[in-house]
Amino acid sequence: MMVRPGTIAAHVDAERLWRRHMELARHGATANGGVDRQALSAEEIDARRTLVAWGAAIGLVASNDDAGNLFLRLAGSEPDLAPVMIGSHIDSQPTGGKFDGAFGVLAALESVEAIIASGARPRRPIDVVAWMNEEGSRFAPGMMGSAAFTGARKLADVLAVRDAAGVSVTDALAAVLAAESQLPRRPLGTPVAAFVEAHIEQGPILEAEKRTIGVVTGIQGKRTFRVTVTGEENHAGTSPRSARRDALVSAVAMVQALQDAMWDAADVVRFTIGRFEVTPNAPSVVPARVVFSIDLRHPDTATLRDLGDRIPGLCEAAAGRCAVAVRELLHDPPLTFPAAIRDCIRAAAENLGIAWMDIPSGAGHDARYLHYHGPTGMIFIPCKDGLSHHEAESATRDDIAAGARVLAETAFGLSVAE
Ligand SMILES: [Zn+2]
């Protein structure tokens, strides 16, 4: 079926889309205008019910899977073909905003609603998806639903994770699935013709460059480490410097050496020590042990590898009289989204006269796992001051609508492509 560019986008209703953001944000609303809707919480169950109801009102068929991913399907003229998937997540950080994740799911729902209103018929089914536990704040690590769906992690491993209160994913998920007992359960790992995730940028670039759409080129790579420095506990008043094995002194030397080694003039390396734990952490005791975290990110595979590989040696060289153990916890290489999907997004923005630019993603997203499962891409829109994972997170009604228009055109185009 031939549909002129812009036909679908013309049916995106900016007012409805904005209203839905505000309505969804009531589930887990915080006093400061943010959202606390952590994965598999009662608030998220309510939000999912709202989504299912909005889908049902326009004839979408809801389903879920054993990992708690939620799908709303628009049938295609060839219903047995692999679907185009569009969506993101609706769980939030404990002090999250109204737009992280929610925008991608609501823009996907709006896209499908626009396709229906236009009278155009997709060839492939289109699934609006909300992936389970992207944020990883209650159950770590994040992106659990997409990891289980794509096989990047075993479902059993995901189910065994517990939150700080000792509640397992198994038990929390059981409550979600019980609340949706009327929905059919679909298998994990089914083929996906394409996946497109719309998301707020969570950074300042689009706003600074005055562009409405970011055509995401890929996701930078990430390595994480845990460094354990072991010294010896002693009395702060009686033990001479020459006899001390002070774990904090050694750890600080490591931090300084690492900071110097990771410094780059172009400011592309992202190097963060976000956790630093001193034991026994008592004012009059020489520290016996320090454990600190390292989060290293870079868009270039070789640079990420080389910088990360230097970390154990740098720590050892700065250890002084203490012992140090460096353990790598994660190594996700950088990825580049396929040109075919990026071209579709770019063409949609061009046809609609919306200013766009290519942009890498600094943060991880469910699209990281989908990338290895089927052709995947992402669409960014600006967020105010680049602020995210914050209750004041904000995006404009116009930018949200523009993102939905580009997503709607892209999704329909992919659904009729050979
Ligand atoms: Zn997100």
Side-chain angles (χ1 to χ4, degrees), residues 120-408:
R121 187 88 195 272
R123 190 165 74 90
R124 299 176 176 280
I126 300 180
D127 284 342
V128 174
V129 58
W131 300 111
M132 186 271 277
N133 186 25
E134 193 277 342
E135 297 289 359
S137 55
R138 180 181 176 195
F139 298 104
M143 297 185 258
M144 265 184 186
S146 53
F149 179 84
T150 58
R153 293 184 71 194
K154 289 202 202 75
L155 179 62
D157 293 346
V158 164
L159 294 177
V161 172
R162 290 178 186 273
D163 68 9
V167 178
S168 67
V169 171
T170 303
D171 290 344
L173 185 55
V176 173
L177 296 176
E180 295 173 1
S181 59
Q182 79 285 5
L183 301 190
R185 196 76 63 84
R186 51 189 267 174
L188 297 169
T190 48
V192 174
F195 174 64
V196 183
E197 178 169 8
H199 207 281
I200 57 170
E201 181 201 337
Q202 304 182 286
I205 296 169
L206 291 174
E207 194 175 58
E209 300 289 327
K210 297 189 166 44
R211 310 292 172 94
T212 307
I213 292 294
V215 180
V216 181
T217 51
I219 300 179
Q220 69 177 340
K222 176 177 174 181
R223 297 177 77 171
T224 64
F225 301 85
R226 181 164 58 224
V227 182
T228 305
V229 186
T230 307
E232 191 176 43
E233 204 168 304
N234 213 329
H235 193 296
T238 59
S239 63
R241 188 183 64 233
S242 58
R244 290 187 185 197
R245 293 173 58 222
D246 186 325
L248 180 61
V249 170
S250 293
V252 167
M254 290 175 205
V255 171
Q256 192 56 57
L258 290 164
Q259 283 289 350
D260 291 347
M262 300 299 152
W263 190 91
D264 63 324
D267 197 6
V268 177
V269 175
R270 297 287 172 264
F271 176 80
T272 305
I273 295 172
R275 175 176 289 164
F276 202 88
E277 294 169 345
V278 181
T279 306
N281 208 22
S284 298
V285 181
V286 175
R289 205 166 93 108
V290 170
V291 178
F292 66 92
S293 64
I294 294 175
D295 179 312
L296 172 68
R297 307 190 198 203
H298 200 279
D300 177 66
T301 304
T303 307
L304 181 71
R305 187 192 57 223
D306 295 347
L307 287 177
D309 288 354
R310 290 182 62 195
I311 287 175
L314 287 162
C315 289
E316 270 153 36
R321 292 190 199 124
C322 294
V324 61
V326 179
R327 190 165 154 229
E328 179 156 21
L329 305 177
L330 175 103
H331 187 167
D332 279 340
L335 63 86
T336 302
F337 291 130
I341 304 290
R342 287 186 279 138
D343 289 346
C344 288
I345 297 167
R346 201 178 293 123
E350 280 282 339
N351 288 329
L352 295 169
I354 299 173
W356 61 271
M357 65 182 283
D358 287 333
I359 186 171
S361 175
H365 295 283
D366 292 304
R368 165 174 280 290
Y369 288 130
L370 271 295
H371 171 74
Y372 299 104
H373 188 73
T376 293
M378 290 191 75
I379 299 168
F380 277 174
I381 64 164
C383 57
K384 191 172 187 307
D385 303 327
L387 203 61
S388 184
H389 286 185
H390 193 291
E391 290 175 288
E393 179 185 275
S394 183
T396 70
R397 191 178 310 222
D398 287 350
D399 289 348
I400 284 170
R405 289 187 184 106
V406 171
L407 178 64

Side-chain angles (χ1 to χ4, degrees), residues 23-38:
E23 287 180 32
L24 200 69
R26 286 189 204 142
H27 301 295
T30 61
N32 296 325
V35 173
D36 177 4
R37 190 171 57 231
Q38 295 190 65

Side-chain angles (χ1 to χ4, degrees), residues 53-75:
W54 283 336
I58 54 171
L60 306 186
V61 177
S63 61
N64 55 29
D65 64 24
D66 289 346
N69 300 309
L70 177 66
F71 306 87
L72 306 172
R73 172 164 289 201
L74 173 66

